[in-house]
Amino acid sequence: MAPALRRRQLIQPQDGVARVARLGPPLTLAILAGPILAGLAGTLLPAFGYLPALGGARLTTDAFAALFAAPGITRSATLSLSTGLVSAGLSLLIVMVFVAGWAGTRSFARVQAMISPLLSVPHAAAAFGFAFLIAPSGLLARLISPGLTGWTRPPDLLVLNDPAGLALIAGLVVKEVPFLLLVTLAALPQVRLRETRALSAALGYGRIAGFLYLAWPAIYRQIRLAVFAVIAFAASVVDVAIILGPGTPATLAVRLVGWMNDADLSMRFVAAAGALLQLAVVLAALLIWIVIEIAFARLREVLAARGTRLRHDAGLRHAALGLMTLSGGIVLAGLVALGLWSVAGLWPFPQPLPSTFMLKPWMEALPRVAGPLATTLAAAALSTLIAILLTLLCLMREGDTGRSGGRKALAFIYLPLIVPQVAFLFGLQFLFLSVGFVASFSALVLAHLIFVLPYVFLSLSDPWRAFDRRYEAVAAGLGKRRLRTLLAIRLPMLARPILTAAAVGFAVSVGQYLPTLLIGAGRLPTITTEAVALASGGARRTIGIYAFLQMLLPAIGFAIAICVPALLFRHRRAMQS
């Protein structure tokens, strides 16, 4: 029976499922790399003056001359560079020290349980919540006034939109910490943590020192691309920078969006040149980070050679625990502030809570919300469904060939996350305009799919590869065809991770701002674009409604991912974990 089973397994990759699975990798590569490369080309040519549709018929450097003559452009580029490096560095430092000091403890499990759900909160919603907390008339000032401050009216303090970008950096840190923690947790099983801790403790090393010397190098190799993605995102983010960042001058990415939407069409050339400058800023940030990596590795080697043991690291460990808890608490408190403002009636400063609560703001906003909400749901559902199908095809193809192609393709998976959105979306918009494809729903879904697909693949790949294929071998030995085995065994057993990956993709799509703004050309508004458009106004109740909805949609997606498997497998104890 064993030889027959082996022959059947060798024959199976040639069936219809395998033939369909062959389409997965090339389609995925085309979706990830094709629009990015085409968009970069579409940005490069206008940057050098060639865009016949706008009268640019020859190559020039006039756009770069106009770009560098723009007031404050050096400050904008420097601000983007520092924001990316500082926010990513602080986020990684907090996660690294926290994991080093607390991994495997009850406190670690509690913080993980609190932080993990925050990954579903879109960046714009978290930024609005943070703004509602720290503003001079925000929730924090209300809670401590007038008792601790003596304030009876909002103080004249530049807390939000400060010139140094401190509020922007803080907002990015509290949102990126959950992401880096989760990717670190995924890499943690690669090291034998218990044995490593026992060995370092036996040699007299503190928890943090032992972890950094023995375990961290292997973990960091696994999460390095994710760190690069965080740096690229923070250095080129638009929606969070509009909400929290400085305005005179704004970060480079925000100024590029303004030029792209300028009534003067000649500013499109300057925006394209600025997009290349943004790409250069991100590349510079990554190069500086690589230098920091080398310096940190050498410092670790020097400290290890000197026998620095950091036995008394309790203060550092508790500081990391406090910062990790604070970052999660800030996001949660911000979401509470959004909810309060969405139903607040009269709320004079410094009252900690509204005098009255009312649903009138919701009733007035619902007719305006219906259209953007429908677009948000449709684009998110369709892009997520396509991403799930392509990911499954790629993973099935990887299993058929017996190669680690999926792991080698991680560079392509991270490509949309590392290349700044503004660097290729401008060019992609130009190309779509030239063929009449812009402002169509299909174009919007494609734009979202570029960013949804990487997160879905990264969420689902590890559970798929960890599946015990002996179940399939038993089914093959019983004469079941591969399609039947896939539908009846593997997919049901992986229902929980598949639905979780779908929830992640849905949340990513809901939070997309710049792709929706540019590819939708303002004619396909979503909850996110409408919320950010309100950022410059003072209508906190309306902002609270849109931002609360933006947070609520991904939460519903994750609730479905949790409840559906629990309902399906309620009579199967082994499938409930």
Side-chain angles (χ1 to χ4, degrees):
M1 183 162 181
L5 178 57
R6 284 195 294 270
R7 284 196 300 271
R8 189 183 300 275
Q9 288 176 309
L10 291 173
I11 292 172
Q12 279 185 341
Q14 306 302 320
D15 63 10
V17 174
R19 286 194 293 271
V20 174
R22 286 198 192 102
L23 300 176
L27 283 176
T28 302
L29 182 60
I31 289 173
L32 293 178
I36 294 176
L37 297 178
L40 289 174
T43 300
L44 183 65
L45 292 176
F48 285 94
Y50 186 79
L51 187 61
L54 295 182
R58 61 187 182 88
L59 297 178
T60 69
T61 58
D62 294 345
F64 286 98
L67 172 67
F68 292 117
I73 191 64
T74 302
R75 172 64 180 166
S76 295
T78 304
L79 190 62
S80 297
L81 179 70
S82 61
T83 298
L85 288 172
V86 174
S87 62
L90 288 176
S91 302
L92 184 63
L93 182 63
I94 292 171
V95 171
M96 179 182 68
V97 179
F98 171 71
V99 175
W102 298 94
T105 65
R106 291 183 178 179
S107 298
F108 186 85
R110 294 191 191 102
V111 173
Q112 180 185 345
M114 179 187 72
I115 291 288
S116 298
L118 301 181
L119 187 62
S120 67
V121 180
H123 283 82
F128 275 123
F130 186 61
F132 282 13
L133 277 181
I134 68 171
S137 60
L139 192 58
L140 290 180
R142 292 171 181 271
L143 291 175
I144 62 175
S145 300
L148 297 180
T149 63
W151 296 334
T152 57
R153 62 182 61 187
D156 187 15
L157 298 174
L158 188 59
V159 179
L160 292 175
N161 312 118
D162 62 287
L166 298 180
L168 174 59
I169 292 172
L172 288 170
V173 167
V174 298
K175 188 62 183 71
E176 295 304 341
V177 159
F179 173 71
L180 288 177
L181 176 63
L182 291 183
V183 296
T184 303
L185 291 176
L188 201 56
Q190 305 297 323
V191 298
R192 302 171 66 177
L193 184 62
R194 182 175 299 178
E195 292 82 353
T196 299
R197 288 211 185 281
L199 176 61
S200 61
L203 295 174
Y205 288 90
R207 292 176 67 91
I208 293 177
F211 184 89
L212 294 183
Y213 294 156
L214 300 178
W216 181 250
I219 292 175
Y220 185 74
R221 282 194 295 270
Q222 299 291 322
I223 69 170
R224 191 175 185 232
L225 285 176
V227 175
F228 283 2
V230 169
I231 295 171
F233 173 83
S236 59
V237 66
V238 176
D239 50 356
V240 180
I242 291 175
I243 298 166
L244 298 175
T248 51
T251 60
L252 181 57
V254 173
R255 297 187 70 177
L256 295 183
V257 174
W259 292 336
M260 197 65 186
N261 294 323
D262 198 290
D264 183 1
L265 295 181
S266 65
M267 294 303 295
R268 303 296 194 276
F269 295 98
V270 180
L276 294 184
L277 177 60
Q278 179 70 75
L279 180 60
V281 167
V282 171
L283 291 176
L286 294 178
L287 289 175
I288 294 173
W289 185 261
I290 291 173
V291 173
I292 294 174
E293 288 177 346
I294 296 172
F296 182 82
R298 291 183 177 175
L299 176 62
R300 189 183 64 245
E301 292 173 359
V302 170
L303 292 177
R306 291 179 177 177
T308 305
R309 287 172 166 77
L310 297 178
R311 294 187 184 91
H312 306 292
D313 59 3
L316 190 57
R317 288 191 291 112
H318 283 88
L321 176 62
L323 289 173
M324 181 66 69
T325 306
L326 179 64
S327 66
I330 286 174
V331 177
L332 291 173
L335 299 179
V336 171
L338 291 177
L340 287 174
W341 270 108
S342 70
V343 294
L346 180 64
W347 196 357
F349 187 90
Q351 286 186 197
L353 292 174
S355 300
T356 59
F357 294 92
M358 59 183 182
L359 294 177
K360 184 179 178 181
W362 280 90
M363 302 303 295
E364 293 176 348
L366 283 179
R368 300 192 302 270
V369 167
L373 180 61
T375 303
T376 302
L377 291 173
L382 191 53
S383 60
T384 300
L385 177 61
I386 297 173
I388 289 289
L389 293 176
L390 288 174
T391 298
L392 291 176
L393 291 177
C394 289
L395 293 172
M396 284 190 289
R397 180 60 178 167
E398 177 186 319
D400 288 344
T401 58
R403 302 170 187 167
S404 58
R407 295 177 177 86
K408 294 179 180 178
L410 280 180
F412 294 104
I413 291 297
Y414 275 103
L415 191 61
L417 308 182
I418 293 178
V419 177
Q421 292 184 355
V422 294
F424 71 90
L425 284 176
F426 286 170
L428 198 60
Q429 185 191 43
F430 286 139
L431 294 177
F432 283 177
L433 280 170
S434 65
V435 297
F437 192 48
V438 77
S440 65
F441 181 73
S442 55
L444 181 65
V445 171
L446 175 61
H448 281 211
L449 181 59
I450 296 170
F451 303 99
V452 170
L453 184 53
Y455 285 99
V456 169
F457 186 92
L458 293 172
S459 300
L460 187 54
S461 56
D462 284 342
W464 184 276
R465 291 166 183 154
F467 180 78
D468 191 344
R469 300 197 67 178
R470 288 178 294 181
Y471 291 109
E472 294 177 331
V474 171
L478 295 174
K480 301 300 181 182
R481 297 183 63 84
R482 190 177 180 206
L483 180 60
R484 173 68 175 167
T485 302
L486 177 68
L487 297 178
I489 296 179
R490 181 177 277 234
L491 292 184
M493 293 184 71
L494 292 176
R496 193 183 303 275
I498 290 173
L499 288 173
T500 300
V504 170
F506 186 85
V508 170
S509 178
V510 169
Q512 290 304 310
Y513 171 72
L514 192 59
T516 307
L517 182 69
L518 294 180
I519 305 303
R523 283 177 275 177
L524 293 171
T526 63
I527 293 295
T528 299
T529 58
E530 293 295 280
V532 177
L534 294 167
S536 59
R540 288 194 179 183
R541 291 172 181 82
T542 307
I543 292 174
I545 291 171
Y546 277 90
F548 190 79
L549 280 174
Q550 192 195 22
M551 176 271 299
L552 186 62
L553 293 179
I556 293 174
F558 277 93
I560 293 173
I562 293 172
C563 295
V564 169
L567 183 63
L568 290 176
F569 306 130
R570 62 188 182 279
H571 300 307
R572 294 171 174 83
R573 183 180 301 174
M575 296 287 288
Q576 293 176 7
S577 58

